[in-house]
Amino acid sequence: MPNCDWNRPCDCRDCREIIETHVCPSCQFPNKVSVIRNAYWEEDKKHGGGYYLFVNPKTPVKDLICYECGDPMKEVGYYTSIHEDFCKNQKERAKLIKDERYCVNCDKLEELDFDFYGRVKLTLYNQLNLCRSCLIDAVKVENPDPSNATNKFKFDPSKLIWALYRVKVTCTTCESAYWVNSDEQSWRKQCKKCYGSKRGKKTESSFP
Ligand SMILES: [Zn+2]
Ligand SMILES: [Zn+2]
Ligand SMILES: [Zn+2]
Ligand SMILES: [Zn+2]
């Protein structure tokens, strides 16, 4: 129920509307209809104030034309209108499912649903359609983090690879081990301590 009137009882159209489904016997399409209920104010004599009572209208009982196949359904009950947006959405969903345009891992539909990266895009991986999030998980399962005692890798989601980013090296001065970023490895030959204390004698450390 919408929170439209600061949680006070409300009888606006949104609060009175419910969505009902009528499955077509010919094509199984779940037709969505909107039912605008009648609202009656009930006074709460004991506690003061009151609330709205919503009642589904019973009449007129209507027929319904299936949004998908056009077959008529006789006397489905009362409804106010066909819910075009929901029906359109259901139709698109049904088509994508039929065409197998969904992630086989999480069932999200291509372009219609969202994953962590936006609208779902599918990638074929090991013959399976996967959304971006599930693709990354699958690649990681097949290619575990190769990090070890001297190399640390970080997963690059855009290239789908483990990229080297930290390396453990030995200080040329004091011979203690320390970590550097892989792209700084070529010039960081000393640990922080030695680099800091021997700033003036740079040449010394450039010899192996
Ligand atoms: Zn309302
Ligand atoms: Zn139908
Ligand atoms: Zn997925
Ligand atoms: Zn050192």
Side-chain angles (χ1 to χ4, degrees):
M1 191 153 289
N3 178 19
C4 50
D5 205 14
W6 291 280
N7 284 328
R8 280 196 304 245
C10 175
D11 66 343
C12 78
R13 193 191 150 98
D14 280 351
C15 291
R16 282 158 55 216
E17 179 179 42
I18 50 167
I19 309 296
E20 288 184 348
T21 307
H22 297 290
V23 176
C24 170
S26 310
C27 73
Q28 313 307 317
F29 184 77
N31 289 273
K32 300 285 182 185
V33 296
S34 154
V35 176
I36 307 297
R37 299 171 296 174
N38 295 320
Y40 302 98
W41 179 252
E42 285 286 321
E43 235 167 282
D44 188 341
K45 297 209 172 71
K46 228 171 167 179
H47 305 100
Y51 54 92
Y52 281 103
L53 205 68
F54 297 109
V55 179
N56 280 22
K58 294 271 183 286
T59 52
V61 172
K62 296 182 189 178
D63 299 343
L64 181 64
I65 302 294
C66 175
Y67 186 90
E68 171 72 16
C69 73
D71 274 10
M73 284 173 271
K74 278 266 160 230
E75 298 180 344
V76 295
Y78 173 82
Y79 62 90
T80 313
S81 58
I82 292 163
H83 205 300
E84 287 276 346
D85 289 351
F86 270 175
C87 283
K88 196 167 157 268
N89 186 277
Q90 286 292 335
K91 196 169 170 163
E92 283 170 10
R93 300 191 84 81
K95 182 163 175 7
L96 288 168
I97 290 166
K98 194 169 146 272
D99 297 345
E100 297 187 356
R101 300 308 296 166
Y102 53 84
C103 171
V104 295
N105 190 52
C106 69
D107 291 339
K108 281 181 179 156
L109 300 176
E110 183 178 44
E111 291 295 337
L112 215 60
D113 291 328
F114 290 84
D115 65 9
F116 184 69
Y117 302 89
R119 280 186 190 276
V120 165
K121 300 234 186 305
L122 298 175
T123 307
L124 203 61
Y125 182 73
N126 291 344
Q127 324 291 308
L128 299 171
N129 275 323
L130 294 173
C131 74
R132 192 87 193 147
S133 309
C134 295
L135 172 68
I136 287 168
D137 289 346
V139 171
K140 280 184 180 175
V141 166
E142 215 152 281
N143 309 282
D145 185 350
S147 296
N148 54 34
T150 51
N151 296 294
K152 273 194 187 126
F153 291 81
K154 205 155 72 178
F155 195 77
D156 180 342
S158 61
K159 292 187 190 138
L160 296 172
I161 53 161
W162 289 98
L164 183 68
Y165 93 111
R166 297 281 277 172
V167 188
K168 203 169 204 175
V169 291
T170 308
C171 174
T172 49
T173 307
C174 73
E175 289 184 357
S176 68
Y178 63 101
W179 288 97
V180 288
N181 288 341
S182 59
D183 55 352
E184 296 174 350
Q185 191 187 355
S186 57
W187 56 271
R188 264 193 203 280
K189 298 290 183 198
Q190 287 176 299
C191 72
K192 269 209 174 85
K193 222 172 94 195
C194 297
Y195 183 74
S197 63
K198 298 191 177 173
R199 257 174 183 280
K201 307 178 197 168
K202 253 187 237 161
T203 44
E204 210 172 273
S205 67
S206 55
F207 293 108

